[in-house]
């Protein structure tokens, strides 16, 4: 009897460093959720425990086929042993690793367990660091994964620094059924945001690389009718709250914490902004645009590939002046139906989740893209 397409799907283990709110982790969850056969897709977190992960990300509460290895700090040979044993127990056919730590541990365990190995590079900038470049090059040559890049810029960096490897390009994709337009007033009421303001939103961890301080500084020069909504958490939250108070912005900047209902966040805002110093190909601007929100982004990493050229604005990184000017431009002209429709059409046509999963399925089965 010929197996059906669902039965023929390999068992896949997505391996991440830790399960905390972020683009890579969201991507792994979405691949599991929208797979042709979700029961064949596992997610393995090298670090952390279930209770720690759920505390920071309530979305994980009801997740199935999610495993935690509680890796201690530093090099851990016992984690390789635990991971190898788990891959065998789950009858995993293909390991899919994300970033350097999972590449090392997942790649070695895949070899020991006799699994195939697909690896996704999410950043171009880290290969500029010599030690990191040597490490990744050694892993590629010794572990021989099928390498995918989440943006053409990332692929170009791999070709430049590791010339014997030609990666496939699999653009990040998002669920355009989940992220689609909805009522703005209802979303604002749910988040206790003002109904009559123009709201700029940012969803990112409060870390130095995301440059929230520059965003708040630029925002302080915008009209009083504008508000800023910040979704996320992180080590810089206290410092950013102090900056907000120092600039007398407490009534206009809203710290919303980690939000599980991200479509609702995008529905509530008018403009999405990410002022990062470094990025791969981020998911958040794709999600925002799918909800018909125009964006302002720094032109770093693969961000250019994630922005609709008809409605979005790209600026140079670490420039408060450029950020201020772009936000004012979007406040004046970006909030209109034509630009909003263009933003969504860009994501539907170029960066949808179904296309991404189909391409990864091809890689899992050893088919060229």
């Amino acid at each position: 009897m010929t197996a059906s397409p669902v039965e023929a799907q390999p068992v896949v283990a997505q391996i991440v460093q830790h399960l905390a709110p972020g683009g890579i982790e969201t991507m792994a969850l979405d691949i599991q959720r929208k797979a042709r056969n979700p029961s064949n897709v596992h997610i393995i977190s090298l670090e952390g425990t279930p209770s720690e992960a759920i505390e920071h990300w309530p979305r994980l509460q009801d997740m199935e086929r999610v495993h935690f290895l509680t890796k201690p700090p530093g090099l851990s040979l016992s984690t390789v042993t635990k991971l190898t044993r788990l891959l065998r127990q789950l009858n995993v056919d293909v390991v899919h690793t994300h970033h350097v730590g999972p590449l090392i541990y997942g790649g070695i365990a895949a070899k020991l367990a006799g699994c195939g190995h697909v690896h996704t590079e999410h950043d171009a900038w880290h290969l500029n660091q010599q030690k990191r470049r040597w490490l990744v090059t050694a892993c590629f040559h010794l572990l021989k994964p099928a390498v995918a890049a989440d943006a053409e810029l990332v692929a170009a960096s791999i070709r430049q620094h590791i010339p014997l490897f030609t990666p496939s390009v699999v653009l990040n994709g998002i669920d355009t059924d989940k992220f689609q337009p909805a009522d703005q007033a209802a979303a604002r009421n749910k988040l206790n945001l003002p109904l009559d303001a123009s709201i700029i939103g940012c969803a990112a961890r409060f870390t130095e690389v995301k440059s929230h301080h520059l965003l708040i500084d630029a925002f302080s020069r915008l009209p009083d009718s504008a508000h800023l909504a910040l979704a996320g958490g992180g080590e810089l939250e206290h410092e950013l709250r102090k900056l907000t108070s120092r600039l007398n912005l407490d009534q206009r900047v809203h710290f919303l914490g980690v939000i599980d209902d991200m479509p609702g966040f995008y529905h509530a805002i008018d403009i999405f902004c990410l002022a990062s110093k470094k990025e791969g190909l981020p998911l958040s601007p794709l999600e925002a645009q799918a909800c018909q929100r125009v964006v302002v982004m720094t032109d770093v990493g693969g961000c250019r590939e994630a922005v609709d050229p008809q409605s979005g604005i790209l600026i140079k990184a670490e420039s408060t002046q450029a950020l201020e000017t772009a936000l004012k431009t979007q406040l004046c002209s970006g909030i209109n139906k034509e630009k909003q429709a263009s933003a969504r059409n860009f994501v539907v046509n170029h960066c949808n989740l179904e296309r991404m999963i189909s391409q990864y399925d091809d890689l899992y089965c050893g088919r060229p893209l």
Side-chain angles (χ1 to χ4, degrees):
M1 180 181 295
T2 302
S4 69
V6 169
E7 292 172 334
Q9 185 185 17
V11 177
V12 177
Q14 304 273 334
I15 302 182
V16 298
Q17 190 71 25
H18 51 74
L19 270 176
I24 293 173
E25 296 79 11
T26 297
M27 172 184 167
L29 296 181
D30 283 344
I31 287 176
Q32 183 191 68
R33 181 173 59 87
K34 297 290 282 189
R36 287 183 291 119
N37 185 359
S39 64
N40 275 7
V41 181
H42 297 265
I43 299 173
I44 300 174
S45 175
L46 296 181
E47 298 177 358
T49 66
S51 59
E52 291 171 345
I54 291 169
E55 180 182 357
H56 292 98
W57 207 2
R59 166 181 183 176
L60 299 173
Q61 179 72 52
D62 299 317
M63 293 294 298
E64 298 179 349
R65 298 174 302 284
V66 178
H67 314 269
F68 294 83
L69 300 183
T70 62
K71 187 185 90 65
L75 182 64
S76 172
L77 296 179
S78 64
T79 299
V80 175
T81 302
K82 290 171 64 176
L83 179 53
T84 303
R85 186 184 304 119
L86 179 60
L87 296 178
R88 288 171 174 160
Q89 289 173 350
L90 299 175
N91 295 314
V92 170
D93 298 303
V94 181
V95 163
H96 185 174
T97 57
H98 302 271
H99 255 320
V100 179
L103 169 63
I104 298 170
Y105 287 92
I108 296 173
K111 288 289 186 187
L112 295 173
C115 303
H117 182 191
V118 172
H119 173 71
T120 299
E121 278 291 311
H122 295 271
D123 294 313
W125 55 269
H126 79 119
L127 292 179
N128 293 324
Q129 304 170 14
Q130 189 177 67
K131 290 184 179 179
R132 183 65 65 89
R133 182 167 65 250
W134 287 349
L135 179 59
V136 173
T137 300
C139 287
F140 282 8
H141 285 290
L142 293 173
L143 302 175
K144 293 180 169 51
V147 179
D150 70 354
E152 178 54 44
L153 185 85
V154 176
S157 178
I158 295 172
R159 290 192 294 266
Q160 175 189 350
H161 294 298
I162 313 175
L164 294 181
F165 271 83
T166 303
S168 303
V169 177
V170 182
L171 291 178
N172 286 347
I174 59 104
D175 186 347
T176 54
D177 292 327
K178 177 181 179 182
F179 294 94
Q180 59 177 302
D183 182 69
Q184 186 176 74
R188 290 189 176 188
N189 281 327
K190 186 175 180 180
L191 294 173
N192 294 315
L193 294 172
L195 298 178
D196 57 351
S198 296
I199 299 181
I200 299 160
C202 177
R205 290 175 182 160
F206 295 144
T207 60
E208 191 268 340
V209 74
K210 299 298 184 181
S211 297
H212 287 85
H213 62 291
L214 289 181
L215 174 56
I216 293 172
D217 192 13
F219 172 78
S220 70
R221 297 172 172 82
L222 301 185
D224 290 346
S225 58
H227 283 235
L228 177 63
L230 301 176
E235 62 265 26
L236 295 184
E237 180 171 349
H238 179 67
E239 180 180 323
L240 293 172
R241 286 182 179 273
K242 286 175 59 179
L243 174 61
T244 298
S245 296
R246 189 162 65 248
L247 294 173
N248 297 314
L249 297 173
D250 293 293
Q251 301 305 310
R252 294 171 54 209
V253 177
H254 308 269
F255 287 85
L256 303 179
V258 175
I259 294 179
D260 196 40
D261 177 21
M262 286 309 299
F265 172 75
Y266 299 122
H267 299 152
I269 67 175
D270 297 295
I271 299 163
F272 181 79
C273 181
L274 201 58
S276 305
K277 297 178 183 179
K278 299 173 183 176
E279 284 288 350
L281 195 150
L283 294 178
S284 52
L286 299 178
E287 296 169 349
Q289 290 172 108
C291 293
Q292 292 193 343
R293 297 299 176 251
V294 299
V295 302
V296 172
M297 298 277 293
T298 45
D299 192 4
V300 297
C303 289
R304 181 172 292 272
E305 298 170 62
V307 173
D308 170 35
Q310 303 304 317
S311 64
I313 297 178
L314 289 161
I315 60 170
K316 66 179 181 179
E318 301 186 70
S319 172
T320 303
Q321 180 60 55
L323 189 53
E324 175 192 345
T325 300
L327 289 172
K328 285 180 177 178
T329 298
Q330 291 291 48
L331 286 170
C332 292
S333 63
I335 308 172
N336 65 69
K337 290 183 179 180
E338 183 178 347
K339 286 193 173 184
Q340 290 171 340
S342 178
R344 176 168 172 80
N345 288 338
F346 170 81
V347 178
V348 170
N349 293 331
H350 298 286
C351 303
N352 65 79
L353 181 61
E354 289 77 10
R355 174 206 48 78
M356 182 189 77
I357 289 176
S358 177
Q359 288 182 304
Y360 277 124
D361 281 344
D362 285 339
L363 290 178
Y364 298 154
C365 295
R367 296 188 292 263
L369 300 185

